[in-house]
Amino acid sequence: MSLKNISWVYSLRKIVLFALIFLIYDTSFLFSKEKLISLTFHDGPNPNSTPQLLKILDDANIKATFFVVGKMVKKYPELLKEIHARGHEIANHTYNHRNLTMLSTSDIMSELLRTKILIKEIVGLNTHLFTPPGGRFDSRVIETARICGFRMALWSVFPEDHRNPSPVIYEKVITNARDGSVVLLHNGPQDTLIALPKILEKLKARAYKFDTLSSLLSKGKGKHIVYPRN
Ligand SMILES: [Zn+2]
């Protein structure tokens, strides 16, 4: 092969290489996934905050996941219906909000199943996710929940909104939120209600979209916070 031909082949290889790089680079946006976050609200329903919370979520056109406590559901069934009617996901946060690691296996079952049955009676839903009160769990809790038909879900962002003022709640969520984050907030504190609209506005400005926890998991995100892992 002459020198001229060799340089032509090299030039062609360069062109093909650049074309490939350009193609990969230029089309990558087609495969980029949307940035998703799931907001979870623990401990409701609560007449002092659920109506305001639902309005904030409605105004922002966002669906969230409510981990409800059975004894609160028993007291405020209408609020549970309202949460359901607005299209939010309902999940199980036990009946009495006790530390499950301190209970017998049959008492853990009772905590989960009483709430499950109550939710089913009131809104006709089967729940499949639960979160342990105080984040306290061990392998027995996970296994007992599994036998009862539940997967245990934790969270990846927790601004400790049960004890922090609204500016701190805002800062902690905004700083730590990533694609696939599961944010733990409470359906109760007034500071959460104050911080929430600003949190939603900021995250929307950063092109985040919001989804229920089940939907987020079904899209392959946030899986590291669910047990047992499979
Ligand atoms: Zn709780």
Side-chain angles (χ1 to χ4, degrees):
M1 200 182 276
S2 72
L3 271 177
K4 199 178 167 188
N5 281 345
I6 289 170
S7 77
W8 185 85
V9 168
Y10 274 111
S11 296
L12 188 66
R13 281 179 57 182
K14 265 187 197 167
I15 290 165
V16 170
L17 194 64
F18 278 120
L20 274 173
I21 289 168
F22 177 78
L23 200 66
I24 290 164
Y25 174 77
D26 196 40
T27 55
S28 63
F29 75 93
L30 292 174
F31 305 105
S32 67
K33 292 168 187 164
E34 57 183 354
K35 294 195 290 183
L36 278 182
I37 285 185
S38 185
L39 300 179
T40 65
F41 294 95
H42 290 203
D43 297 0
N46 182 330
N48 297 322
S49 68
T50 301
Q52 296 99 306
L53 179 52
L54 289 174
K55 180 165 187 335
I56 292 168
L57 295 172
D58 266 2
D59 288 348
N61 195 25
I62 283 170
K63 303 299 179 212
T65 297
F66 285 74
F67 280 99
V68 296
V69 172
K71 66 181 178 186
M72 299 296 278
V73 171
K74 184 82 180 165
K75 248 174 148 174
Y76 308 110
E78 293 307 316
L79 286 178
L80 187 80
K81 287 181 189 168
E82 198 57 38
I83 294 168
H84 178 55
R86 309 274 187 114
H88 301 292
E89 179 176 29
I90 293 169
N92 193 328
H93 194 30
T94 75
Y95 197 88
N96 289 299
H97 204 270
R98 294 163 70 188
N99 176 354
L100 296 180
T101 64
M102 305 300 284
L103 301 184
S104 68
T105 300
S106 63
D107 281 349
I108 296 172
M109 285 184 167
S110 163
E111 284 286 321
L112 292 170
L113 295 177
R114 279 179 80 187
T115 304
K116 181 187 177 81
I117 291 165
L118 196 57
I119 293 168
K120 176 80 176 175
E121 280 172 0
I122 296 169
V123 291
L125 276 181
N126 280 312
T127 46
H128 301 288
L129 289 173
F130 103 96
T131 197
R136 295 186 184 90
F137 68 94
D138 53 24
S139 55
R140 189 171 58 96
V141 169
I142 296 170
E143 178 57 14
T144 308
R146 190 190 65 75
I147 291 165
C148 293
F150 286 96
R151 294 176 78 199
M152 186 183 77
L154 298 178
W155 48 85
S156 52
V157 177
F158 180 29
E160 298 181 83
D161 64 325
H162 58 300
R163 63 182 187 89
N164 278 327
S166 62
V168 177
I169 298 168
Y170 170 85
E171 204 54 45
K172 283 180 179 281
V173 174
I174 297 305
T175 308
N176 295 304
R178 304 278 182 277
D179 180 31
S181 285
V182 178
V183 183
L184 160 54
L185 294 165
H186 286 88
N187 184 182
Q190 290 302 303
D191 276 278
T192 307
L193 297 173
I194 295 167
L196 192 56
K198 294 170 198 154
I199 289 170
L200 301 181
E201 192 183 334
K202 186 72 173 179
L203 291 178
K204 279 186 166 183
R206 292 186 180 172
Y208 280 101
K209 295 200 180 325
F210 297 83
D211 213 341
T212 63
L213 182 52
S214 286
S215 183
L216 185 94
L217 295 171
S218 74
K219 291 168 184 166
K221 300 190 180 197
K223 287 195 161 177
H224 61 289
I225 59 111
V226 177
Y227 303 77
R229 300 209 166 107
N230 51 26

